[in-house]
Amino acid sequence: GILVQFDYDAYHLRLLADLIDYKFPEGISVHEYLGKMYFEKDILSDAEYQESKQISFKLLYGGITKDYMSVEFFAQVKKYTDLLFEKFNEDGYIESPLAGRKLYKKFFKDINASKLLNYFIQIYETERNIHIISSINELLQGNENKLILYTYDSFLFDLNVYNEHLIDQIKGILEQNNTFPTKLTKVINYLDWE
């Protein structure tokens, strides 16, 4: 068989974009797209691309600073974060996006709007991935092809080399019409992974 890994591009940023109904352009990495705005350039160096990733995650997990409110995506994220936190404080809970599970305020100490958003994204990720795993297991049921490892932003499969046609079907389930694009990597031996 072969090992096939699908790794999401900027998964948490894309999950958040899905929640706020923001459409990233197709055919470009989210980090490149945002980096062009951060650095006000059309082409990023490798160092700027890496710095773009750091900036995005700092804003996502640490809170959005005034310096980046001119980036439309983060302006919308800030608005969403404030509304979510307001609802959390007024109602004493918020509900997860897919399963409707309640996160009660009384169970969280020292929570702020940014932390709440992070918990909310993680819940959405988990709920979404449970649906994906269920769909993939249904697709692979009854044959020797298996999902063998799931991490928060990637899925690893052991596929029979004669069943490579499954790659497109799995990709379709994971990406949902290119809303959540993945990078595909294939190896024969796990020790050969880069």
Side-chain angles (χ1 to χ4, degrees):
I2 57 170
L3 295 175
V4 179
Q5 179 175 284
F6 295 87
D7 187 15
Y8 283 111
D9 173 64
Y11 196 32
H12 280 183
L13 292 168
R14 288 187 183 274
L15 287 167
L16 189 51
D18 192 49
L19 287 169
I20 65 173
D21 200 28
Y22 185 91
K23 304 295 182 213
F24 286 116
E26 290 187 23
I28 183 172
S29 162
V30 169
H31 298 300
E32 183 178 351
Y33 170 75
L34 292 172
K36 288 179 178 185
M37 289 182 228
Y38 301 155
F39 298 107
E40 300 176 351
K41 297 174 79 174
D42 290 332
I43 299 174
L44 300 179
S45 68
D46 290 342
E48 289 167 333
Y49 180 86
Q50 292 304 318
E51 189 175 347
S52 171
K53 289 172 76 170
Q54 292 173 358
I55 292 168
S56 294
F57 288 119
K58 181 179 176 186
L59 295 170
L60 183 62
Y61 300 119
I64 300 162
T65 61
K66 290 179 185 176
D67 298 345
Y68 293 96
M69 287 299 289
S70 63
V71 176
E72 180 62 27
F73 172 70
F74 283 111
Q76 288 184 32
V77 168
K78 175 72 170 128
K79 183 178 178 183
Y80 184 80
T81 303
D82 292 344
L83 289 172
L84 193 66
F85 195 59
E86 182 180 313
K87 180 171 178 38
F88 185 67
N89 286 315
E90 286 178 5
D91 298 345
Y93 69 90
I94 55 170
E95 292 185 6
S96 64
L98 298 177
R101 294 179 54 124
K102 291 183 178 176
L103 282 82
Y104 290 97
K105 183 178 179 179
K106 64 184 178 184
F107 296 119
F108 296 91
K109 294 183 180 185
D110 300 324
I111 193 162
N112 59 38
S114 183
K115 275 187 187 178
L116 180 64
L117 179 68
N118 288 304
Y119 291 141
F120 198 70
I121 294 168
Q122 290 173 26
I123 289 168
Y124 181 38
E125 170 198 339
T126 301
E127 289 178 349
R128 182 179 180 280
N129 286 345
I130 293 299
H131 288 287
I132 286 171
I133 290 169
S134 178
S135 296
I136 287 170
N137 284 340
E138 188 175 309
L139 173 69
L140 300 178
Q141 188 174 6
N143 62 48
E144 67 274 2
N145 304 290
K146 303 291 180 216
L147 169 63
I148 58 172
L149 179 64
Y150 152 70
T151 58
Y152 80 96
D153 68 347
S154 68
F155 292 81
L156 179 65
F157 297 86
D158 185 357
L159 299 179
N160 183 311
V161 292
Y162 299 108
N163 296 130
E164 281 200 56
H165 66 279
L166 289 173
I167 291 173
D168 288 336
Q169 291 173 288
I170 293 168
K171 187 176 181 72
I173 292 169
L174 294 170
E175 293 190 353
Q176 295 182 339
N177 297 321
N178 209 34
T179 302
F180 300 97
T182 60
K183 180 180 81 176
L184 175 74
T185 308
K186 297 180 193 178
V187 296
I188 299 296
N189 185 329
Y190 195 75
L191 296 175
D192 295 336
W193 220 278
E194 293 179 2

